[in-house]
Amino acid sequence: TGVQTCALPILSKTTTGTTVSGTAAETITMSYLVAANTFQSGDNPEIIFSGRKSGANNTGTLKMYINTSNSLSGATQVAQSGAIVSAARTTNFERRFCSFTSSTNLNLISATSGNNSDAINVSANESDITYDVTQAYYIIISIQLVSSSDSYIPKMLVIRNNR
């Protein structure tokens, strides 16, 4: 008797990232390389990121991308946060409702929804993006601060798979 729990397989949990400060340009703050053949058709990955904004000069926006290189150039956006408005504010940013409908197609809720979680944006349009599971892809988290006097400190990136 008792409650049974089922932990999702964690593919990655990292706390190593780059603090972004002194710039208002969109900058990578954390990334992780997902090996080829990690996912398969029918998988439902979850990506959860946490970080902290420092400085109260203006807002910032987080974005999540996938790319075959650790670069924003040529990257495909898969999520965008709402505005991060306060200093010393921890932000959780997640992409939970997506699924591989084939070995080359990832279906997800609109990538520019402006919500920190797609769990609260369930009425948004869905879209399909190309993601060939036989290739390695970086999951990239970027921050764009409006004021170069503010900074952003990444705390954690977790990637899990619901199979």
Side-chain angles (χ1 to χ4, degrees):
T1 63
V3 177
Q4 290 184 338
T5 60
C6 179
L8 299 175
I10 293 178
L11 304 176
S12 164
K13 181 177 181 183
T14 184
T15 56
T16 303
T18 302
T19 297
V20 176
S21 62
T23 182
E26 184 176 12
T27 306
I28 295 172
T29 189
M30 194 173 267
S31 64
Y32 179 78
L33 180 61
V34 177
N37 300 307
T38 297
F39 296 116
Q40 60 189 359
S41 182
D43 284 356
N44 299 289
E46 290 185 9
I47 305 162
I48 302 168
F49 170 79
S50 182
R52 183 174 166 268
K53 182 178 174 291
S54 171
N57 297 297
N58 220 310
T59 62
T61 303
L62 290 165
K63 292 182 182 175
M64 186 182 300
Y65 295 92
I66 61 168
N67 201 357
T68 54
S69 63
N70 193 18
S71 169
L72 296 177
S73 178
T76 300
Q77 185 178 329
V78 296
Q80 178 174 319
S81 74
I84 305 163
V85 296
S86 301
R89 180 176 188 138
T90 297
T91 307
N92 292 319
F93 181 46
E94 57 191 31
R95 171 61 65 191
R96 300 182 73 171
F97 296 106
C98 52
S99 63
F100 285 96
T101 55
S102 73
S103 62
T104 58
N105 190 70
L106 180 62
N107 180 266
L108 46 82
I109 291 175
S110 177
T112 58
S113 63
N115 286 321
N116 290 5
S117 172
D118 52 5
I120 59 173
N121 197 30
V122 293
S123 64
N125 292 329
E126 293 181 6
S127 60
D128 293 319
I129 60 171
T130 299
Y131 185 124
D132 182 349
V133 298
T134 65
Q135 292 187 36
Y137 279 87
Y138 284 89
I139 305 293
I140 300 168
I141 307 295
S142 73
I143 181 75
Q144 184 162 18
L145 298 165
V146 173
S147 171
S148 60
S149 298
D150 289 339
S151 61
Y152 196 83
I153 303 109
K155 298 292 185 182
M156 174 190 74
L157 176 63
V158 176
I159 302 169
R160 299 187 289 206
N161 189 20
N162 295 314
R163 202 168 255 169

